[in-house]
Amino acid sequence: RKEVEQDPGPFNVPEGATVAFNCTYSNSASQSFFWYRQDCRKEPKLLMSVYSSGNEDGRFTAQLNRASQYISLLIRDSKLSDSATYLCVVMVTALIFGKGTTLSVSS
Amino acid sequence: GAVVSQHPSWVICKSGTSVKIECRSLDFQATTMFWYRQFPKQSLMLMATSNEGSKATYEQGVEKDKFLINHASLTLSTLTVTSAHPEDSSFYICSARGSETYEQYFGPGTRLTVT
């Protein structure tokens, strides 16, 4: 079983749509959780950390369920500029990356 | 925010040659640096972790004699791919972390193509 598994993509949505990404992790000792965004041929950039209580940053909402080892990211009112690959990341002793889910937002 | 640079941003080399990639933290002291590799459509895979002044810790399956890592100062780590082969062609990304935070800051990556 992979350490971090994400929804298979790609997700193709129109502008304004709401889209949700899911992620599960296998190591119960994981300490911290993140969503990163990676544009084509670029380095990953931190989108947001994920907390057990759930957290929101503008149009982005992240949730964590430690009991089921599940993380989610919700993007509301999608913009063209949201098109990217979204990486679910957990930290054990180092960052462990999921394979990523590609989102394509079209007009 | 913290800035990490990598040099070169891309390199093409012939099979059998060695390539050195530099990773620098520009505005903070990086006590720990990480080296990742990413093949097309794959996730970033951690290759090794290095603490300043210590030997790097390599992940399983990564040959330490092939991927030489040096972290001699708090602002510079280097990765040398020795005797490169076409299968080493990949996107190599470093990240750096200071002593005060768990957050890692990523460099822009180096695209290596071995012909």
Short mmCIF file of all heavy atoms in Angstrom, two decimals, chain B residues 14-82:
data_model
loop_
_atom_site.label_atom_id
_atom_site.label_comp_id
_atom_site.label_asym_id
_atom_site.label_seq_id
_atom_site.Cartn_x
_atom_site.Cartn_y
_atom_site.Cartn_z
N LYS B 14 26.22 14.12 -21.17
CA LYS B 14 26.40 12.83 -21.84
C LYS B 14 26.51 11.71 -20.81
O LYS B 14 26.99 11.92 -19.68
CB LYS B 14 27.65 12.85 -22.72
CG LYS B 14 27.51 13.80 -23.88
CD LYS B 14 28.61 13.59 -24.90
CE LYS B 14 28.33 14.52 -26.08
NZ LYS B 14 29.20 14.29 -27.19
N SER B 15 26.10 10.56 -21.21
CA SER B 15 26.17 9.39 -20.34
C SER B 15 27.60 9.16 -19.88
O SER B 15 28.55 9.29 -20.66
CB SER B 15 25.67 8.17 -21.14
OG SER B 15 25.49 7.07 -20.31
N GLY B 16 27.76 8.90 -18.59
CA GLY B 16 29.08 8.65 -18.02
C GLY B 16 29.71 9.84 -17.34
O GLY B 16 30.67 9.69 -16.59
N THR B 17 29.17 11.02 -17.59
CA THR B 17 29.72 12.22 -16.94
C THR B 17 29.03 12.45 -15.60
O THR B 17 28.02 11.82 -15.28
CB THR B 17 29.55 13.46 -17.83
OG1 THR B 17 28.15 13.66 -18.06
CG2 THR B 17 30.26 13.28 -19.16
N SER B 18 29.62 13.35 -14.82
CA SER B 18 29.04 13.67 -13.51
C SER B 18 28.47 15.08 -13.55
O SER B 18 28.98 15.95 -14.25
CB SER B 18 30.13 13.59 -12.43
OG SER B 18 30.56 12.26 -12.28
N VAL B 19 27.43 15.28 -12.80
CA VAL B 19 26.74 16.57 -12.77
C VAL B 19 26.56 17.00 -11.33
O VAL B 19 26.12 16.20 -10.49
CB VAL B 19 25.34 16.46 -13.44
CG1 VAL B 19 24.57 17.76 -13.29
CG2 VAL B 19 25.48 16.07 -14.90
N LYS B 20 26.89 18.25 -11.04
CA LYS B 20 26.70 18.77 -9.69
C LYS B 20 25.56 19.78 -9.69
O LYS B 20 25.51 20.69 -10.52
CB LYS B 20 27.97 19.45 -9.19
CG LYS B 20 27.84 20.00 -7.76
CD LYS B 20 29.04 20.81 -7.33
CE LYS B 20 30.16 19.94 -6.86
NZ LYS B 20 31.24 20.72 -6.22
N ILE B 21 24.67 19.62 -8.73
CA ILE B 21 23.54 20.54 -8.56
C ILE B 21 23.69 21.23 -7.20
O ILE B 21 23.93 20.56 -6.19
CB ILE B 21 22.20 19.78 -8.62
CG1 ILE B 21 22.07 19.03 -9.94
CG2 ILE B 21 21.03 20.75 -8.43
CD1 ILE B 21 20.89 18.06 -9.98
N GLU B 22 23.54 22.55 -7.20
CA GLU B 22 23.67 23.30 -5.96
C GLU B 22 22.31 23.76 -5.45
O GLU B 22 21.44 24.13 -6.23
CB GLU B 22 24.53 24.55 -6.18
CG GLU B 22 25.98 24.26 -6.46
CD GLU B 22 26.80 25.54 -6.51
OE1 GLU B 22 26.22 26.64 -6.52
OE2 GLU B 22 28.04 25.41 -6.54
N CYS B 23 22.18 23.73 -4.16
CA CYS B 23 20.97 24.20 -3.51
C CYS B 23 21.38 25.19 -2.42
O CYS B 23 22.18 24.84 -1.54
CB CYS B 23 20.22 23.02 -2.90
SG CYS B 23 18.73 23.44 -1.97
N ARG B 24 20.83 26.40 -2.49
CA ARG B 24 21.22 27.42 -1.53
C ARG B 24 19.99 28.02 -0.84
O ARG B 24 18.99 28.31 -1.49
CB ARG B 24 21.96 28.57 -2.22
CG ARG B 24 23.31 28.20 -2.74
CD ARG B 24 23.98 29.40 -3.41
NE ARG B 24 25.24 29.00 -4.04
CZ ARG B 24 26.40 28.93 -3.44
NH1 ARG B 24 26.51 29.27 -2.16
NH2 ARG B 24 27.49 28.55 -4.09
N SER B 25 20.09 28.20 0.46
CA SER B 25 19.08 28.97 1.17
C SER B 25 19.60 30.40 1.22
O SER B 25 20.71 30.65 1.69
CB SER B 25 18.87 28.41 2.58
OG SER B 25 20.08 28.39 3.32
N LEU B 26 18.80 31.32 0.70
CA LEU B 26 19.30 32.68 0.48
C LEU B 26 19.13 33.60 1.68
O LEU B 26 19.89 34.54 1.86
CB LEU B 26 18.63 33.30 -0.75
CG LEU B 26 18.89 32.55 -2.06
CD1 LEU B 26 18.28 33.31 -3.23
CD2 LEU B 26 20.37 32.33 -2.29
N ASP B 27 18.10 33.37 2.48
CA ASP B 27 17.84 34.32 3.55
C ASP B 27 17.59 33.65 4.90
O ASP B 27 17.01 34.27 5.80
CB ASP B 27 16.67 35.23 3.18
CG ASP B 27 15.45 34.43 2.74
OD1 ASP B 27 15.50 33.19 2.76
OD2 ASP B 27 14.44 35.05 2.38
N PHE B 28 18.01 32.41 5.03
CA PHE B 28 17.91 31.75 6.33
C PHE B 28 18.94 30.63 6.39
O PHE B 28 19.52 30.23 5.37
CB PHE B 28 16.50 31.19 6.56
CG PHE B 28 16.13 30.01 5.68
CD1 PHE B 28 16.15 28.72 6.17
CD2 PHE B 28 15.76 30.22 4.35
CE1 PHE B 28 15.80 27.63 5.36
CE2 PHE B 28 15.42 29.15 3.53
CZ PHE B 28 15.43 27.86 4.04
N GLN B 29 19.17 30.17 7.57
CA GLN B 29 20.14 29.09 7.76
C GLN B 29 19.41 27.76 7.75
O GLN B 29 18.52 27.53 8.55
CB GLN B 29 20.89 29.29 9.08
CG GLN B 29 21.77 30.54 9.06
CD GLN B 29 22.67 30.64 10.27
OE1 GLN B 29 22.27 30.26 11.36
NE2 GLN B 29 23.88 31.11 10.07
N ALA B 30 19.82 26.93 6.82
CA ALA B 30 19.15 25.64 6.62
C ALA B 30 19.89 24.55 7.37
O ALA B 30 20.93 24.07 6.91
CB ALA B 30 19.07 25.32 5.14
N THR B 31 19.38 24.18 8.50
CA THR B 31 20.05 23.12 9.26
C THR B 31 19.83 21.76 8.60
O THR B 31 20.64 20.86 8.74
CB THR B 31 19.53 23.08 10.70
OG1 THR B 31 18.09 23.09 10.68
CG2 THR B 31 20.00 24.28 11.49
N THR B 32 18.72 21.64 7.88
CA THR B 32 18.43 20.38 7.20
C THR B 32 18.05 20.67 5.76
O THR B 32 17.28 21.60 5.50
CB THR B 32 17.27 19.63 7.87
OG1 THR B 32 17.55 19.48 9.27
CG2 THR B 32 17.07 18.25 7.25
N MET B 33 18.61 19.88 4.87
CA MET B 33 18.22 20.00 3.46
C MET B 33 17.81 18.62 2.95
O MET B 33 18.32 17.60 3.41
CB MET B 33 19.37 20.57 2.63
CG MET B 33 19.54 22.07 2.83
SD MET B 33 20.76 22.75 1.68
CE MET B 33 20.46 24.49 1.87
N PHE B 34 16.87 18.63 2.05
CA PHE B 34 16.32 17.40 1.49
C PHE B 34 16.49 17.42 -0.02
O PHE B 34 16.35 18.45 -0.66
CB PHE B 34 14.82 17.29 1.82
CG PHE B 34 14.49 17.41 3.27
CD1 PHE B 34 14.31 18.66 3.86
CD2 PHE B 34 14.35 16.28 4.06
CE1 PHE B 34 14.00 18.78 5.21
CE2 PHE B 34 14.02 16.38 5.41
CZ PHE B 34 13.85 17.63 5.98
N TRP B 35 16.74 16.26 -0.57
CA TRP B 35 16.82 16.11 -2.03
C TRP B 35 15.74 15.15 -2.50
O TRP B 35 15.60 14.04 -1.96
CB TRP B 35 18.20 15.62 -2.46
CG TRP B 35 19.25 16.69 -2.34
CD1 TRP B 35 20.10 16.89 -1.30
CD2 TRP B 35 19.54 17.70 -3.31
NE1 TRP B 35 20.90 17.99 -1.55
CE2 TRP B 35 20.58 18.50 -2.77
CE3 TRP B 35 19.03 18.03 -4.56
CZ2 TRP B 35 21.11 19.59 -3.46
CZ3 TRP B 35 19.56 19.11 -5.24
CH2 TRP B 35 20.58 19.88 -4.70
N TYR B 36 14.98 15.61 -3.48
CA TYR B 36 13.89 14.82 -4.04
C TYR B 36 14.16 14.61 -5.53
O TYR B 36 14.86 15.38 -6.18
CB TYR B 36 12.55 15.54 -3.90
CG TYR B 36 12.05 15.71 -2.50
CD1 TYR B 36 12.49 16.77 -1.71
CD2 TYR B 36 11.12 14.83 -1.95
CE1 TYR B 36 12.03 16.94 -0.41
CE2 TYR B 36 10.64 15.00 -0.65
CZ TYR B 36 11.10 16.05 0.11
OH TYR B 36 10.64 16.23 1.39
N ARG B 37 13.50 13.60 -6.05
CA ARG B 37 13.55 13.34 -7.48
C ARG B 37 12.12 13.10 -7.94
O ARG B 37 11.33 12.45 -7.23
CB ARG B 37 14.42 12.10 -7.75
CG ARG B 37 14.56 11.71 -9.19
CD ARG B 37 15.65 10.67 -9.36
NE ARG B 37 15.46 9.50 -8.54
CZ ARG B 37 16.31 8.48 -8.51
NH1 ARG B 37 17.41 8.50 -9.27
NH2 ARG B 37 16.09 7.44 -7.75
N GLN B 38 11.78 13.60 -9.10
CA GLN B 38 10.42 13.42 -9.62
C GLN B 38 10.49 13.03 -11.09
O GLN B 38 10.97 13.81 -11.92
CB GLN B 38 9.59 14.70 -9.45
CG GLN B 38 8.13 14.52 -9.85
CD GLN B 38 7.32 15.79 -9.63
OE1 GLN B 38 7.82 16.90 -9.77
NE2 GLN B 38 6.05 15.62 -9.28
N PHE B 39 10.01 11.83 -11.38
CA PHE B 39 9.89 11.39 -12.77
C PHE B 39 8.54 11.86 -13.30
O PHE B 39 7.61 12.13 -12.52
CB PHE B 39 10.03 9.86 -12.86
CG PHE B 39 11.41 9.38 -12.52
CD1 PHE B 39 11.66 8.73 -11.32
CD2 PHE B 39 12.47 9.58 -13.38
CE1 PHE B 39 12.93 8.29 -10.98
CE2 PHE B 39 13.75 9.16 -13.05
CZ PHE B 39 13.97 8.52 -11.85
N PRO B 40 8.39 11.95 -14.62
CA PRO B 40 7.13 12.45 -15.20
C PRO B 40 5.92 11.70 -14.67
O PRO B 40 5.92 10.47 -14.59
CB PRO B 40 7.33 12.21 -16.70
CG PRO B 40 8.80 12.27 -16.90
CD PRO B 40 9.39 11.66 -15.66
N LYS B 41 4.92 12.47 -14.29
CA LYS B 41 3.65 11.95 -13.80
C LYS B 41 3.80 11.11 -12.53
O LYS B 41 2.93 10.30 -12.21
CB LYS B 41 2.93 11.14 -14.88
CG LYS B 41 2.59 11.95 -16.13
CD LYS B 41 1.69 11.19 -17.05
CE LYS B 41 1.48 11.91 -18.36
NZ LYS B 41 0.84 13.21 -18.19
N GLN B 42 4.88 11.27 -11.84
CA GLN B 42 5.09 10.55 -10.58
C GLN B 42 5.18 11.54 -9.42
O GLN B 42 5.32 12.75 -9.63
CB GLN B 42 6.38 9.72 -10.64
CG GLN B 42 6.38 8.67 -11.75
CD GLN B 42 5.34 7.61 -11.53
OE1 GLN B 42 5.18 7.08 -10.42
NE2 GLN B 42 4.59 7.27 -12.57
N SER B 43 5.11 11.02 -8.21
CA SER B 43 5.23 11.89 -7.05
C SER B 43 6.69 12.21 -6.78
O SER B 43 7.59 11.53 -7.27
CB SER B 43 4.60 11.23 -5.83
OG SER B 43 5.18 9.97 -5.59
N LEU B 44 6.90 13.25 -5.99
CA LEU B 44 8.25 13.54 -5.54
C LEU B 44 8.69 12.42 -4.62
O LEU B 44 7.98 12.04 -3.70
CB LEU B 44 8.30 14.85 -4.74
CG LEU B 44 8.46 16.13 -5.53
CD1 LEU B 44 7.17 16.52 -6.19
CD2 LEU B 44 8.93 17.24 -4.60
N MET B 45 9.88 11.91 -4.87
CA MET B 45 10.42 10.84 -4.03
C MET B 45 11.63 11.36 -3.29
O MET B 45 12.57 11.86 -3.91
CB MET B 45 10.80 9.63 -4.88
CG MET B 45 9.63 8.98 -5.59
SD MET B 45 8.38 8.36 -4.45
CE MET B 45 9.30 7.08 -3.63
N LEU B 46 11.61 11.24 -1.98
CA LEU B 46 12.74 11.68 -1.18
C LEU B 46 13.93 10.78 -1.45
O LEU B 46 13.83 9.56 -1.38
CB LEU B 46 12.37 11.64 0.30
CG LEU B 46 13.46 12.08 1.28
CD1 LEU B 46 13.79 13.56 1.09
CD2 LEU B 46 13.01 11.81 2.72
N MET B 47 15.05 11.40 -1.77
CA MET B 47 16.28 10.64 -2.01
C MET B 47 17.13 10.58 -0.74
O MET B 47 17.62 9.52 -0.38
CB MET B 47 17.10 11.30 -3.12
CG MET B 47 16.40 11.37 -4.47
SD MET B 47 17.38 12.28 -5.65
CE MET B 47 18.77 11.17 -5.88
N ALA B 48 17.27 11.74 -0.11
CA ALA B 48 18.17 11.79 1.05
C ALA B 48 17.89 13.03 1.87
O ALA B 48 17.34 14.03 1.37
CB ALA B 48 19.62 11.78 0.59
N THR B 49 18.27 12.94 3.13
CA THR B 49 18.16 14.05 4.07
C THR B 49 19.56 14.37 4.57
O THR B 49 20.31 13.44 4.94
CB THR B 49 17.28 13.65 5.26
OG1 THR B 49 16.00 13.27 4.78
CG2 THR B 49 17.13 14.81 6.24
N SER B 50 19.92 15.63 4.58
CA SER B 50 21.25 15.97 5.09
C SER B 50 21.16 17.06 6.13
O SER B 50 20.43 18.04 5.97
CB SER B 50 22.18 16.38 3.96
OG SER B 50 21.88 17.66 3.47
N ASN B 51 21.87 16.87 7.20
CA ASN B 51 22.02 17.89 8.24
C ASN B 51 23.41 18.50 8.10
O ASN B 51 24.38 17.79 7.84
CB ASN B 51 21.83 17.27 9.62
CG ASN B 51 20.40 16.82 9.83
OD1 ASN B 51 19.48 17.62 9.83
ND2 ASN B 51 20.21 15.52 9.99
N GLU B 52 23.48 19.78 8.29
CA GLU B 52 24.73 20.50 8.12
C GLU B 52 25.84 19.88 8.95
O GLU B 52 25.67 19.63 10.14
CB GLU B 52 24.53 21.97 8.50
CG GLU B 52 25.74 22.84 8.27
CD GLU B 52 26.58 23.02 9.52
OE1 GLU B 52 26.03 22.88 10.62
OE2 GLU B 52 27.77 23.33 9.38
N GLY B 53 26.92 19.57 8.26
CA GLY B 53 28.08 19.02 8.93
C GLY B 53 28.05 17.53 9.16
O GLY B 53 29.01 16.96 9.69
N SER B 54 26.95 16.87 8.77
CA SER B 54 26.84 15.43 8.97
C SER B 54 26.71 14.72 7.63
O SER B 54 26.41 15.35 6.62
CB SER B 54 25.61 15.09 9.81
OG SER B 54 25.64 15.75 11.03
N LYS B 55 26.88 13.42 7.68
CA LYS B 55 26.66 12.63 6.46
C LYS B 55 25.17 12.56 6.17
O LYS B 55 24.35 12.51 7.08
CB LYS B 55 27.21 11.21 6.64
CG LYS B 55 28.72 11.13 6.58
CD LYS B 55 29.16 9.67 6.64
CE LYS B 55 30.67 9.60 6.58
NZ LYS B 55 31.16 8.22 6.69
N ALA B 56 24.86 12.49 4.90
CA ALA B 56 23.45 12.42 4.50
C ALA B 56 22.87 11.05 4.83
O ALA B 56 23.58 10.04 4.84
CB ALA B 56 23.32 12.70 3.01
N THR B 57 21.57 11.04 5.09
CA THR B 57 20.84 9.80 5.30
C THR B 57 20.06 9.51 4.02
O THR B 57 19.20 10.30 3.63
CB THR B 57 19.86 9.93 6.48
OG1 THR B 57 20.59 10.28 7.65
CG2 THR B 57 19.13 8.62 6.70
N TYR B 58 20.35 8.38 3.41
CA TYR B 58 19.75 8.05 2.12
C TYR B 58 18.53 7.16 2.33
O TYR B 58 18.50 6.29 3.20
CB TYR B 58 20.77 7.33 1.23
CG TYR B 58 21.85 8.25 0.73
CD1 TYR B 58 22.93 8.58 1.54
CD2 TYR B 58 21.80 8.78 -0.55
CE1 TYR B 58 23.93 9.44 1.10
CE2 TYR B 58 22.80 9.63 -1.02
CZ TYR B 58 23.86 9.96 -0.19
OH TYR B 58 24.83 10.81 -0.64
N GLU B 59 17.54 7.36 1.48
CA GLU B 59 16.36 6.50 1.50
C GLU B 59 16.69 5.16 0.84
O GLU B 59 17.65 5.03 0.06
CB GLU B 59 15.21 7.17 0.75
CG GLU B 59 14.71 8.44 1.40
CD GLU B 59 14.17 8.23 2.79
OE1 GLU B 59 13.22 7.43 2.95
OE2 GLU B 59 14.70 8.86 3.74
N GLN B 60 15.90 4.19 1.20
CA GLN B 60 16.13 2.85 0.67
C GLN B 60 16.07 2.87 -0.85
O GLN B 60 15.18 3.49 -1.44
CB GLN B 60 15.03 1.91 1.21
CG GLN B 60 15.34 0.45 1.03
CD GLN B 60 14.33 -0.42 1.76
OE1 GLN B 60 13.26 0.04 2.16
NE2 GLN B 60 14.66 -1.68 1.95
N GLY B 61 17.03 2.21 -1.45
CA GLY B 61 17.05 2.12 -2.90
C GLY B 61 17.83 3.23 -3.59
O GLY B 61 18.00 3.19 -4.81
N VAL B 62 18.30 4.21 -2.82
CA VAL B 62 19.09 5.30 -3.41
C VAL B 62 20.56 5.02 -3.15
O VAL B 62 20.98 4.85 -2.00
CB VAL B 62 18.69 6.66 -2.80
CG1 VAL B 62 19.55 7.78 -3.39
CG2 VAL B 62 17.22 6.93 -3.04
N GLU B 63 21.34 4.94 -4.21
CA GLU B 63 22.76 4.60 -4.08
C GLU B 63 23.57 5.79 -3.61
O GLU B 63 23.72 6.79 -4.33
CB GLU B 63 23.32 4.14 -5.42
CG GLU B 63 22.63 2.91 -6.00
CD GLU B 63 23.14 2.64 -7.41
OE1 GLU B 63 24.36 2.43 -7.56
OE2 GLU B 63 22.33 2.67 -8.35
N LYS B 64 24.14 5.68 -2.44
CA LYS B 64 24.87 6.82 -1.89
C LYS B 64 26.17 7.09 -2.64
O LYS B 64 26.66 8.22 -2.64
CB LYS B 64 25.15 6.61 -0.40
CG LYS B 64 26.02 5.42 -0.09
CD LYS B 64 26.25 5.28 1.40
CE LYS B 64 27.15 4.10 1.63
NZ LYS B 64 27.47 3.81 2.99
N ASP B 65 26.73 6.06 -3.28
CA ASP B 65 27.96 6.27 -4.02
C ASP B 65 27.70 6.89 -5.39
O ASP B 65 28.62 7.39 -6.04
CB ASP B 65 28.71 4.95 -4.21
CG ASP B 65 29.19 4.40 -2.88
OD1 ASP B 65 29.49 5.22 -1.98
OD2 ASP B 65 29.25 3.17 -2.72
N LYS B 66 26.45 6.84 -5.81
CA LYS B 66 26.10 7.43 -7.10
C LYS B 66 25.60 8.87 -6.91
O LYS B 66 25.88 9.74 -7.72
CB LYS B 66 25.02 6.60 -7.78
CG LYS B 66 24.62 7.15 -9.13
CD LYS B 66 23.73 6.20 -9.87
CE LYS B 66 23.33 6.82 -11.19
NZ LYS B 66 24.48 7.07 -12.06
N PHE B 67 24.87 9.09 -5.85
CA PHE B 67 24.32 10.41 -5.58
C PHE B 67 25.03 10.97 -4.34
O PHE B 67 24.65 10.69 -3.21
CB PHE B 67 22.81 10.33 -5.35
CG PHE B 67 22.06 9.82 -6.54
CD1 PHE B 67 21.68 8.48 -6.61
CD2 PHE B 67 21.75 10.66 -7.60
CE1 PHE B 67 20.98 8.00 -7.73
CE2 PHE B 67 21.05 10.19 -8.71
CZ PHE B 67 20.67 8.86 -8.77
N LEU B 68 26.07 11.74 -4.60
CA LEU B 68 26.90 12.26 -3.52
C LEU B 68 26.31 13.57 -3.01
O LEU B 68 26.10 14.50 -3.77
CB LEU B 68 28.33 12.49 -4.01
CG LEU B 68 29.04 11.26 -4.58
CD1 LEU B 68 30.43 11.64 -5.06
CD2 LEU B 68 29.12 10.15 -3.56
N ILE B 69 26.07 13.62 -1.72
CA ILE B 69 25.48 14.82 -1.13
C ILE B 69 26.45 15.41 -0.13
O ILE B 69 26.99 14.71 0.73
CB ILE B 69 24.13 14.49 -0.46
CG1 ILE B 69 23.10 14.14 -1.53
CG2 ILE B 69 23.64 15.67 0.39
CD1 ILE B 69 21.80 13.60 -1.00
N ASN B 70 26.63 16.72 -0.26
CA ASN B 70 27.49 17.45 0.66
C ASN B 70 26.71 18.63 1.22
O ASN B 70 26.08 19.38 0.48
CB ASN B 70 28.74 17.95 -0.09
CG ASN B 70 29.71 18.63 0.84
OD1 ASN B 70 29.50 19.77 1.25
ND2 ASN B 70 30.77 17.95 1.19
N HIS B 71 26.74 18.78 2.53
CA HIS B 71 26.03 19.90 3.18
C HIS B 71 27.01 20.54 4.14
O HIS B 71 26.90 20.41 5.35
CB HIS B 71 24.80 19.34 3.91
CG HIS B 71 23.87 20.38 4.45
ND1 HIS B 71 22.67 20.05 5.02
CD2 HIS B 71 23.96 21.72 4.53
CE1 HIS B 71 22.06 21.14 5.42
NE2 HIS B 71 22.82 22.17 5.13
N ALA B 72 27.98 21.22 3.54
CA ALA B 72 29.11 21.71 4.33
C ALA B 72 28.83 23.01 5.06
O ALA B 72 29.55 23.37 5.99
CB ALA B 72 30.32 21.88 3.41
N SER B 73 27.80 23.73 4.64
CA SER B 73 27.50 24.99 5.34
C SER B 73 26.00 25.10 5.55
O SER B 73 25.23 24.30 5.02
CB SER B 73 28.00 26.18 4.52
OG SER B 73 27.09 26.48 3.46
N LEU B 74 25.59 26.07 6.32
CA LEU B 74 24.18 26.24 6.64
C LEU B 74 23.38 26.85 5.50
O LEU B 74 22.18 27.04 5.63
CB LEU B 74 24.03 27.09 7.90
CG LEU B 74 24.36 26.37 9.21
CD1 LEU B 74 24.41 27.35 10.36
CD2 LEU B 74 23.34 25.28 9.51
N THR B 75 24.04 27.17 4.41
CA THR B 75 23.30 27.76 3.28
C THR B 75 23.51 27.02 1.97
O THR B 75 22.96 27.42 0.94
CB THR B 75 23.71 29.24 3.07
OG1 THR B 75 25.12 29.28 2.83
CG2 THR B 75 23.36 30.08 4.29
N LEU B 76 24.28 25.95 1.99
CA LEU B 76 24.59 25.29 0.73
C LEU B 76 24.64 23.78 0.89
O LEU B 76 25.28 23.25 1.79
CB LEU B 76 25.95 25.76 0.20
CG LEU B 76 26.50 25.05 -1.05
CD1 LEU B 76 25.59 25.29 -2.25
CD2 LEU B 76 27.92 25.51 -1.35
N SER B 77 23.92 23.11 -0.02
CA SER B 77 24.04 21.67 -0.15
C SER B 77 24.23 21.36 -1.63
O SER B 77 23.67 22.06 -2.49
CB SER B 77 22.79 20.97 0.38
OG SER B 77 22.87 19.55 0.17
N THR B 78 25.02 20.35 -1.92
CA THR B 78 25.21 19.96 -3.32
C THR B 78 24.89 18.49 -3.50
O THR B 78 25.10 17.67 -2.60
CB THR B 78 26.66 20.21 -3.79
OG1 THR B 78 27.56 19.44 -2.97
CG2 THR B 78 27.02 21.68 -3.70
N LEU B 79 24.34 18.20 -4.65
CA LEU B 79 24.06 16.82 -5.07
C LEU B 79 24.86 16.57 -6.33
O LEU B 79 24.72 17.32 -7.31
CB LEU B 79 22.57 16.63 -5.34
CG LEU B 79 22.16 15.34 -6.07
CD1 LEU B 79 22.40 14.12 -5.20
CD2 LEU B 79 20.70 15.39 -6.50
N THR B 80 25.71 15.57 -6.31
CA THR B 80 26.48 15.21 -7.50
C THR B 80 26.00 13.86 -8.00
O THR B 80 26.04 12.88 -7.25
CB THR B 80 27.98 15.16 -7.19
OG1 THR B 80 28.42 16.43 -6.71
CG2 THR B 80 28.77 14.81 -8.45
N VAL B 81 25.52 13.86 -9.22
CA VAL B 81 25.12 12.61 -9.86
C VAL B 81 26.36 12.09 -10.60
O VAL B 81 26.80 12.71 -11.58
CB VAL B 81 23.96 12.83 -10.84
CG1 VAL B 81 23.51 11.50 -11.45
CG2 VAL B 81 22.79 13.52 -10.15
N THR B 82 26.92 11.02 -10.11
CA THR B 82 28.16 10.51 -10.70
C THR B 82 27.85 9.49 -11.79
O THR B 82 26.86 8.74 -11.69
CB THR B 82 29.06 9.86 -9.64
OG1 THR B 82 28.36 8.75 -9.07
CG2 THR B 82 29.40 10.85 -8.54
#
